[in-house]
Amino acid sequence: IISAPKSRSLNNSPFSCNDDGWCTASDHYFLFPRGIVVGQKNSECVYGKGVFSVDAEYGGTAKNCPSGDGSITFGRGNIASGFKSTVTGGVQNIASGKYAMVSGGYSNIANEYGSSVFGGEYNEANGSSSSVFGGNSNDANGYISSTFAGRSNSANGFASSAVGGEDTIAHEA
């Protein structure tokens, strides 16, 4: 015979709620080993451990997916699949590298170790520790390379930088 788990009394809850539907916690720390999802659960996501996601549903379904352990997703339709990766806003961005981050914009990708994209659209940080700072269709492909704004610029070599303009290609520093 399997018995049902005992229900817990909420009389000793650390939360107090008012008639407006708002609840506050008393002065305590809270530990959530699996994670926190605010808004809607994405039924297609395999959530990582120790994740945090804020997902305002769009079109009736949740779309953010913090599948990497220790990852964070905000915005809409964003994926943080790398270990401790973050997407802190925007739409349809992906942080797939370990410690990678995207801080907004549209359809940006940070897919290598420690890579980052700061806004813009269709940008990619493909090299380890590479960065793209805004613009459109820019990429940073070399180790510790970076592109800054503009359109269709590439930093391909070790420690190379492409700054502004269009169709600029930077090779070795």
Side-chain angles (χ1 to χ4, degrees):
I1 298 176
I2 299 173
S3 60
K6 294 181 180 180
S7 63
R8 185 169 92 71
S9 170
L10 293 179
N11 291 338
N12 296 323
S13 171
F15 297 101
S16 60
C17 301
N18 64 25
D19 291 337
D20 292 337
W22 284 92
C23 299
T24 57
S26 54
D27 191 17
H28 294 285
Y29 291 103
F30 298 93
L31 178 62
F32 298 96
R34 298 282 307 250
I36 298 172
V37 175
V38 177
Q40 299 287 319
K41 176 186 174 191
N42 181 345
S43 62
E44 297 174 6
C45 180
V46 177
Y47 289 87
K49 295 177 185 170
V51 300
F52 183 51
S53 183
V54 176
D55 197 332
E57 74 174 88
Y58 180 79
T61 59
K63 296 294 181 188
N64 283 343
C65 184
S67 59
D69 289 349
S71 65
I72 297 171
T73 55
F74 297 151
R76 178 168 54 98
N78 295 315
I79 297 170
S81 58
F83 179 73
K84 295 191 177 182
S85 62
T86 61
V87 178
T88 56
V91 180
Q92 295 178 354
N93 296 301
I94 299 171
S96 59
K98 187 175 187 178
Y99 309 120
M101 63 88 62
V102 176
S103 67
Y106 177 76
S107 198
N108 295 308
I109 300 171
N111 62 21
E112 277 296 328
Y113 180 94
S115 62
S116 54
V117 177
F118 299 89
E121 59 184 10
Y122 305 109
N123 296 309
E124 293 188 25
N126 298 315
S128 291
S129 300
S130 65
S131 298
V132 177
F133 296 88
N136 175 280
S137 301
N138 296 312
D139 52 65
N141 300 311
Y143 174 64
I144 61 171
S145 66
S146 56
T147 60
F148 298 88
R151 186 170 78 117
S152 299
N153 299 309
S154 296
N156 295 328
F158 168 77
S160 62
S161 292
V163 181
E166 184 174 11
D167 295 322
T168 302
I169 298 175
H171 299 286
E172 295 294 321

